[in-house]
């Protein structure tokens, strides 16, 4: 397996899914279908074709911080999120509040707790988690710790943290699986289910995925059963479902993910992270890669971050 290609796939997959979904954000599945039939090409978007939103911007911050510190460091991550923050990328209410608190000098361990009641359970900490899923795919104990801690900086609600962990785990399992083999979807799902307790909304959704994995229901039913909004519980399982029902192809996973409507950029970004971690950068259509944003922190930079994470991963594994 080409692990370097997989790390690049997970990070650029986030960018590609985010960019494909961005112009459709907030539209229902029915209205997307009516207007476009299906969305298979990058469309003109708010910030231009192939541009990314807060999802990828926060992922860049997380990767930068992991690389700078060689590990999770809450204070550094808080600074990195603020340094990268640009309002026009389209941040959620909770994340915007987090940036204000960080800017005001609030201790990083306090920030997440002061947002909504008991913290946010928005999908913001799950959509940026691909670097954690890659870096710690060989060590799920560490992965869990870092997923929770990295979430808590902005999304401290237990469901926010669990959502980030589930998405990190989904990416990690994809990175660890050989795309040349047939993916054992039953085992993949069971491995995810094993990490959640009976009272977790994520366990219930993973069971719904299990029931619907063979019979592909129509998109409306997926929305009704798994959700498509910006709460982590209503979007992380949806992205996993998109991957598991289309794991033969990166393109099909992401095209399907954005067709579900609602929080399309984020469901696209998360499905893209998993499918990219599974099949690698080489499976991302070149006509998509060609139009991805190429600024100072564009697709080339994201690929450099993925290479940095790959090198750091090799260092960590060799030290053990
Ligand atoms: N109580 C009630 N509602 C909540 C709670 C809570 N504790 N936590 C979250 N919500 P937010 P994000 C609801 O604002 O996760 C961007 O477009 C509430 O309705 O923390 O940073 C991104 O690209 C809240 O507005 O945002 C993502 O797609 C919503 O969940 C999306 O926004 C999202 O939580 C979410 O980003
Ligand atoms: Mg977004």
């Amino acid at each position: 397996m080409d692990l370097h290609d997989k790390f690049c796939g997970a990070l650029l997959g986030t960018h590609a899914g985010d960019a494909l979904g961005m112009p459709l954000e907030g539209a229902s599945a029915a209205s997307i279908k009516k207007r476009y039939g299906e969305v298979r090409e990058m469309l003109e978007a708010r910030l231009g074709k192939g541009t990314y939103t807060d999802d990828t911007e926060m992922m860049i911050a997380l990767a930068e911080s992991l690389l700078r510190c060689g590990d999770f460091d809450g204070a550094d991550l808080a600074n990195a999120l603020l340094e990268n923050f640009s309002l026009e990328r389209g941040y959620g209410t909770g994340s915007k509040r987090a940036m204000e608190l960080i800017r005001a000098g609030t201790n990083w361990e306090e920030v997440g707790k002061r947002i909504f009641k008991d913290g946010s359970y928005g999908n913001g900490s799950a959509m940026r988690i691909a670097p954690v899923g890659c870096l710690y795919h060989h060590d799920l104990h560490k992965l869990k710790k870092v997923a929770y801690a990295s979430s808590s900086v902005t999304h401290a609600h237990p469901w926010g943290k669990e959502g980030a962990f589930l998405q990190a785990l989904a990416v990690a399992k994809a990175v660890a699986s050989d795309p040349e083999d047939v993916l054992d979807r039953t085992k993949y799902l069971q491995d995810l289910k094993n990490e959640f307790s009976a009272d977790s909304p994520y366990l219930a959704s993973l069971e719904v995925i299990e029931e619907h994995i063979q019979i592909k229901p129509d998109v409306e039913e997926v929305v009704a059963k798994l959700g498509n909004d910006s709460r982590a519980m209503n979007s992380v399982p949806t992205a996993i479902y998109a991957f598991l029902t289309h794991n033969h192809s990166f393109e099909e996973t992401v095209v399907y993910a954005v067709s579900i409507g609602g929080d399309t950029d984020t469901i696209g970004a998360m499905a893209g992270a998993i499918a990219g971690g599974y099949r690698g950068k080489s499976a991302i259509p070149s006509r998509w890669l060609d139009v991805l944003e190429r600024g100072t922190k564009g697709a080339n930079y994201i690929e450099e971050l993925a290479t940095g994470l790959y090198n750091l991963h090799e260092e960590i594994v060799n030290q053990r």
Side-chain angles (χ1 to χ4, degrees):
M1 292 202 299
D2 185 346
L3 213 50
H4 177 237
D5 190 48
K6 281 171 160 280
F7 279 39
C8 293
L11 270 61
L12 286 170
T14 303
H15 182 174
D18 186 7
L20 194 75
M22 184 213 237
L24 313 170
E25 195 174 2
S28 68
S31 69
I32 294 170
K33 191 164 184 214
K34 186 159 174 248
R35 175 145 187 219
Y36 301 101
E38 129 188 297
V39 177
R40 203 168 273 283
E41 305 308 325
M42 294 286 171
L43 300 169
E44 272 313 322
R46 203 158 43 81
L47 301 174
K49 197 189 275 191
T51 55
Y52 57 75
T53 75
D54 56 332
D55 304 47
T56 305
E57 187 161 86
M58 287 213 266
M59 179 200 76
I60 289 171
L62 179 52
E64 286 176 347
S65 178
L66 289 167
L67 288 172
R68 191 157 47 225
C69 304
D71 200 343
F72 170 75
D73 181 304
D76 188 80
L77 176 60
N79 283 334
L81 288 166
L82 181 61
E83 259 167 40
N84 281 280
F85 175 61
S86 38
L87 195 58
E88 70 274 13
R89 296 281 182 186
Y91 279 71
T93 320
S95 293
K96 268 188 273 188
R97 177 82 188 117
M99 297 307 141
E100 284 166 15
L101 289 164
I102 296 167
R103 187 176 281 135
T106 315
N107 184 293
W108 72 269
E109 286 174 296
E110 287 304 310
V111 172
K113 295 181 200 158
R114 295 200 196 163
I115 296 161
F116 297 115
K117 189 178 168 334
D118 306 322
S120 173
Y121 48 66
N123 53 23
S125 60
M127 70 198 187
R128 66 177 182 235
I129 205 81
V132 174
C134 290
L135 186 58
Y136 301 117
H137 75 272
H138 64 286
D139 180 353
L140 300 183
H141 179 72
K142 176 77 177 177
L143 174 131
K144 182 172 185 174
K145 244 176 94 176
V146 176
Y148 270 69
S150 74
S151 175
S152 71
V153 179
T154 51
H155 293 69
H157 191 285
W159 293 344
K161 293 193 278 196
E162 274 188 41
F165 171 47
L166 175 56
Q167 173 65 14
L169 198 58
V171 171
K173 293 272 165 202
V175 169
S177 302
D178 189 342
E180 297 297 319
D181 299 337
V182 176
L183 182 69
D184 186 344
R185 300 187 299 174
T186 310
K187 178 163 190 314
Y188 182 99
L189 267 175
Q190 191 56 50
D191 287 349
L192 299 183
K193 278 169 58 183
N194 288 345
E195 299 290 336
F196 294 87
S197 57
D199 58 356
S200 167
Y202 295 99
L203 185 66
S205 288
L206 290 167
E207 280 166 357
V208 170
I209 294 177
E210 206 167 29
E211 286 159 24
H212 291 82
I213 199 121
Q214 302 296 353
I215 35 141
K216 283 188 201 166
D218 65 33
V219 174
E220 301 290 351
E221 198 181 336
V222 175
V223 176
K225 296 228 160 99
L226 292 173
N228 69 353
D229 64 49
S230 65
R231 288 171 284 184
M233 313 77 84
N234 290 1
S235 49
V236 175
T238 313
I240 293 171
Y241 179 78
F243 166 64
L244 286 176
T245 49
H246 298 81
N247 63 75
H248 61 286
S249 154
F250 177 89
E251 178 173 337
E252 297 309 323
T253 296
V254 175
V255 167
Y256 180 78
V258 306
S259 79
I260 297 168
D263 197 357
T264 46
D265 57 324
T266 297
I267 298 174
M270 294 191 294
I274 307 169
Y278 182 50
R279 297 208 161 266
K281 181 200 166 190
S282 49
I284 304 178
S286 53
R287 63 182 206 286
W288 288 1
L289 288 173
D290 287 347
V291 297
L292 292 183
E293 175 174 346
R294 301 273 157 188
T296 323
K297 291 201 177 179
N300 291 336
Y301 180 68
I302 290 171
E303 200 166 340
E304 282 168 27
L305 292 173
T307 301
L309 288 168
Y310 170 75
N311 292 335
L312 178 57
H313 173 265
E314 295 301 288
E315 254 176 60
I316 293 171
V317 172
N318 290 330
Q319 271 166 13
R320 294 206 315 166

